[in-house]
Structure formats: C-alpha cells, structure tokens
Amino acid sequence: MQEFFPNVKQIKFEGPDSRNPFAFKHYNSGEKVLGKTMGERLRFAVCYWHTFKGTGSDPFGPGTFIRPWDASGDEMKVAEMTLQAAFEFFSKLGVGFWCFHDRDIAPEADSLAETNARLDKIVGMAEKLQDDTGVKLLWGTTNAFSHRRFMAGASTNPSPAVFAYAASQVKKAMEITHRLGGSGYVFWGGREGYETLLNTNLKRELEHLAIFLRMAVDHKKKIGFGGQLYIEPKPKEPTTHQYDFDCAAVYGFLIKNGLAGDFKVNVEANHATLAGHTFHHELEFCAANGILGSVDANRGDLLLGWDTDQFPTNIYDTTLAMYTILRAGGFTTGGLNFDAKVRRQSVDVEDLFHAHIGAMDAFARGLKIAAKIIEDGALDQIVKQRYSGWDSGLGADIEGRKAGFDELETYTLKNGEPAVQSGRQELVENVLNEYIR
Ligand code: XLS
Ligand code: NI
Ligand code: NI
C-alpha cells in the first residue's frame, strides 16, 4: 500500500527537553492526570476537511497545496486514496478520533441516489480502516452549505424543496455516522442566517430551523443512534448574521423549542472570539447550563477578524479551557477536534504533523496546569471566600427564597450601607501566571 507520509514515523513522547520536531514534548497519552490518562482526558480528533481536503486557497488566490492523495484524475480514486492517507496520518500521530462532513469523504455525484451510493462505498472502507487502526469517529456532520442549492441556507431556505434536500442529506449523514459508531453528530449552521432582513422572514426561518432539528431528533431515535447531537454556534461568516450566533443564543433557542434535552454545544474557539467573547467565556457559559458537549480547538487572529482557523498554540487559552472542562467533569461523548488549517505557505505534508503536534502539546500543557490549579484549590478558595456570604444568614435566606423584597428592605434599613470587598483581580491573575510554566 502507498505510504503518503514516508518522512514521518510514529510520533512519540520524548519529554520537554527533546528538540525533535516530530516528537511530543508534553502530550504523553498514557500519563495520568486527575485519575485518567491524557488520551482519555483530551480525546483529540483530526478534522478531515481542513487537513485532507484543504487546498490553501484564500479569497485572493487558489490553492497552493499539491497532495499525493489528490494525484489521480478519477474522483472516487482520489476519495479512496485520501481516506488511506487520513488513516495513516491518524495512526502516526496517535490520535484516537476523526471527524468529517459527508462531502469531504465522498464527492457529490449527479443525483442524490448516486451520491449516497458513493458514500456507502467509502464508509465501507472507513469501517475497515477504523477496525484496523482502532481510530474512532468523534462526530460526523453534513456539508449543506457549499453547493449552490444552499446559497440561501439549508433548513432556513425560503424553498421547501431545499429544506427537503438538506433533510435527505442529514438523514444519510446521521445513518453513516451511526454505522461508523460515531459518538456524536454536529449541526453547524452553514448558511443558516441572512444577508439582509429586507428579503428575509426571520420568524418563519427560525421556526423552520426548529422543525428541522426536531426531525433530526426523531430520526436519531428511529435508527437507534445513541450518539450526542451538538449545535456549533458561529456569529457571522458566511452570512452577515448567523442564527446560532453564540452559546447563549443557541441555549435560548433550544429552551424555547423544547430541545434542550436533545442537544449539547460544540464550542469553537475562533467562533467565540468572532462573537466578541473569549473561548473561556463560551465554555464556562455551557458548563454553567449543562450543555458543554465538545470543542472545535483552534484560534483566530484578532488583527484579522475572520475565521482564520489557526492551530491553537496559546497556553493561556488552553489552560483556561481545560480549567473549565475539567471542573465541568471532563468530556464524555465529546473531545478536542482540531478544526484548524495550516497556513497557505505551509505546503508540505510534514507541516500537517507540526501543526497537530504543537496543538496537542499546547492542550497537554493546559491540561496539566489546570489540573494542578484544581488540585491545589488555588483559585477555588478565593472564589469560595468571595461568595461565602451566600452560605448562611442573609444570603442563604435569599437563595432559599425565605426573604422577599419586604424582608430585604427591613434588613437594609436596619444594617445600612453594605461593606465592600476587593475583587482581587490582580491577585488571581498572578496566581494563574504562577501556575503557567
Ligand atoms: C466552520 C465550522 C465547520 C464546522 C463543521 O466555520 O467550524 O467547520 O465545524 O461543519
Ligand atoms: Ni468548527
Ligand atoms: Ni470555524
């Protein structure tokens, strides 16, 4: 069988002093952190679209990458070679999971029936490669945003025929995800949003989105798919306004439509910053509401301001992310999917390894630092103390709904001006810095 990455052998852990670019310095899959191995805690996944289908194109020019798996002139042969290259990459990198869109793994044909037959063929191969390598599917998803039929959205399209097409596509994508034993299925809004309100019935489009998601829940039950359904928020791009703007908007939508029990959130770092939040904020919001499901691990560039999908390297961000994820109980069905692409000038296949090795090490460091902060209770004590007024007396009466406005007025008239306490922001920032090393 053809080897697609002949210059790279199995990536191993060599420790922080290693200078081998093809080795992990911090990610040691079997090492235990807070009682579980790093592999179990981090649940790394490689995404198919950027890593194997990405071309390096940008709005100002076409692709720059020439991949050995793209060499054949035949579309289906390319799909087969790409799948082989992907599993060689997963195995050499030592990740446990992968993620794909239906159209990444098999090219669309002239009819839905033929497209689905192509998918079945590739999924059969993927099933075997999964068995051979032990690599599992973290989640599957549908690309219902690239084809021109979806230019005005999929489930929020003004045309019911396009809604039907998207439904047929999601039906099939859920079925193949189920067949491959996927532990989740993602709905990213694609073009579910609008360019101008002047031609848009926003109320109706939102109702259609809810109907579509209900149908997906019904189909999941019908086929016995036990994986978790996720929604991935994003505020803008490609549309001017995407309906799944941020985690709070998604949560409100789910609650309103009685879907909160059926969906969790797949939080993407770059989408958080596009929405004007930090990655940490979005994770903490989900954790607080019991909807933290999975993560698309990447980063944006605040100077550019679009979805640059760079590989995560910032140890502060990975530490804060893991701090929230660990305190929320860690991943169950979810994981850290590198929805990230190498830069346009990173044209060699080896660059794909450098990108993932750095990102995995960045998260491994974040995990270890966060675990230490938690073990020491370094920030916990300060937060606990700050809210301790709620544990007894007045605070407990308010939380227990024993005191209403009348009682609180009586209390205030009697006790006068409340004492103020320092928020100690500089102190907590120093504590964090002491742990990041
Ligand atoms: C695009 C999204 C997309 C989803 C999967 O911005 O991040 O890649 O993760 O459709
Ligand atoms: Ni994503
Ligand atoms: Ni993105």
Side-chain angles (χ1 to χ4, degrees):
M1 206 200 286
Q2 183 178 348
E3 203 180 3
F4 294 93
F5 305 95
N7 301 331
V8 185
K9 305 272 159 289
Q10 182 74 43
I11 309 296
K12 296 201 181 97
F13 170 72
E14 292 185 3
D17 296 330
S18 167
R19 291 288 169 266
N20 176 2
F22 292 103
F24 295 117
K25 321 292 184 302
H26 302 277
Y27 178 62
N28 186 7
S29 60
E31 184 183 323
K32 292 225 166 145
V33 177
L34 297 179
K36 278 192 181 176
T37 67
M38 293 178 80
E40 291 165 335
R41 287 254 172 245
L42 296 164
R43 292 171 61 85
F44 289 127
V46 170
C47 88
Y48 211 89
W49 50 103
H50 291 312
T51 297
F52 305 106
K53 301 302 288 179
T55 61
S57 66
D58 73 7
F60 299 93
T64 53
F65 308 157
I66 299 166
R67 302 302 196 200
W69 50 87
D70 278 340
S72 165
D74 176 77
E75 278 191 315
M76 277 305 278
K77 183 84 190 119
V78 167
E80 289 172 21
M81 283 167 66
T82 307
L83 195 73
Q84 261 151 17
F87 276 83
E88 182 189 330
F89 184 81
F90 307 150
S91 302
K92 285 187 168 169
L93 188 63
V95 288
F97 299 93
W98 65 304
C99 296
F100 67 82
H101 296 87
D102 47 4
R103 302 299 176 250
D104 302 334
I105 56 171
E108 195 157 354
D110 291 338
S111 70
L112 183 67
E114 177 57 23
T115 301
N116 286 350
R118 286 179 168 195
L119 267 175
D120 287 335
K121 180 153 191 246
I122 297 291
V123 167
M125 281 179 61
E127 225 172 2
K128 176 148 192 330
L129 285 162
Q130 286 194 157
D131 280 350
D132 292 349
T133 58
V135 176
K136 298 190 177 76
L137 180 62
L138 189 69
W139 49 259
T141 188
T142 308
N143 178 333
F145 45 84
S146 292
H147 193 282
R148 68 192 289 277
R149 76 175 73 88
F150 297 121
M151 66 186 181
S155 68
T156 64
N157 197 290
S159 154
V162 177
F163 182 105
Y165 206 105
S168 319
Q169 215 179 304
V170 170
K171 172 183 185 293
K172 181 70 180 174
M174 285 179 87
E175 288 165 7
I176 59 175
T177 298
H178 182 36
R179 180 172 162 200
L180 289 170
S183 48
Y185 186 88
V186 163
F187 291 83
W188 169 55
R191 295 179 195 273
E192 312 293 32
Y194 60 81
E195 303 295 342
T196 170
L197 283 172
L198 299 177
N199 65 8
T200 302
N201 187 334
L202 182 143
K203 183 171 189 293
R204 217 161 177 182
E205 291 200 357
L206 285 170
E207 283 163 7
H208 296 165
L209 179 57
I211 292 172
F212 193 91
L213 294 177
R214 263 186 225 115
M215 287 179 175
V217 172
D218 290 345
H219 195 64
K220 172 187 151 150
K221 288 185 185 138
K222 188 171 169 200
I223 63 176
F225 173 49
Q228 175 65 51
L229 302 181
Y230 307 104
I231 294 186
E232 180 178 322
K234 185 174 182 178
K236 53 189 166 192
E237 199 195 44
T239 70
T240 306
H241 180 100
Q242 303 265 131
Y243 291 133
D244 296 330
F245 192 94
D246 61 1
C247 297
V250 165
Y251 186 56
F253 178 85
L254 292 175
I255 293 283
K256 180 191 172 199
N257 292 292
L259 289 162
D262 295 303
F263 287 86
K264 285 191 173 159
V265 174
N266 181 38
V267 183
E268 178 163 320
N270 202 163
H271 298 179
T273 51
L274 283 177
H277 302 303
T278 60
F279 180 32
H280 190 203
H281 166 86
E282 289 292 76
L283 292 169
E284 192 73 25
F285 178 86
C286 290
N289 290 290
I291 51 165
L292 178 52
S294 200
V295 168
D296 271 7
N298 60 13
R299 78 181 150 97
D301 184 326
L302 294 178
L303 300 180
L304 291 177
W306 68 82
D307 199 15
T308 58
D309 287 336
Q310 284 161 255
F311 277 84
T313 52
N314 185 316
I315 313 295
Y316 278 88
D317 285 344
T318 59
T319 299
L320 293 173
M322 291 317 298
Y323 186 60
T324 291
I325 292 164
L326 285 175
R327 284 181 306 129
F331 290 122
T332 51
T333 53
L336 292 166
N337 168 47
F338 293 117
D339 188 355
K341 54 187 178 207
V342 290
R343 299 301 88 190
R344 194 164 187 266
Q345 296 179 56
S346 302
V347 294
D348 296 338
V349 290
E350 289 78 14
D351 290 313
L352 296 171
F353 279 94
H354 297 313
H356 285 85
I357 290 169
M360 289 163 78
D361 267 345
F363 266 96
R365 282 173 81 178
L367 169 67
K368 285 191 277 190
I369 296 164
K372 189 87 180 78
I373 298 173
I374 292 170
E375 260 174 349
D376 292 355
L379 292 169
D380 241 21
Q381 286 307 323
I382 297 170
V383 178
K384 224 176 163 180
Q385 176 57 35
R386 191 160 186 236
Y387 291 85
S388 59
W390 297 89
D391 297 336
S392 60
L394 176 69
D397 285 349
I398 297 173
E399 282 192 353
R401 302 301 306 273
K402 285 196 200 122
F405 275 11
D406 285 339
E407 291 78 7
L408 297 182
E409 183 190 46
T410 308
Y411 174 92
T412 304
L413 288 171
K414 183 171 165 231
N415 290 281
E417 195 55 33
V420 295
Q421 59 173 341
S422 167
R424 299 262 186 268
Q425 180 166 339
E426 296 74 14
L427 172 68
V428 290
E429 286 169 350
N430 291 353
V431 169
L432 178 63
N433 264 7
E434 280 159 23
Y435 279 84
I436 294 184
R437 58 179 95 205

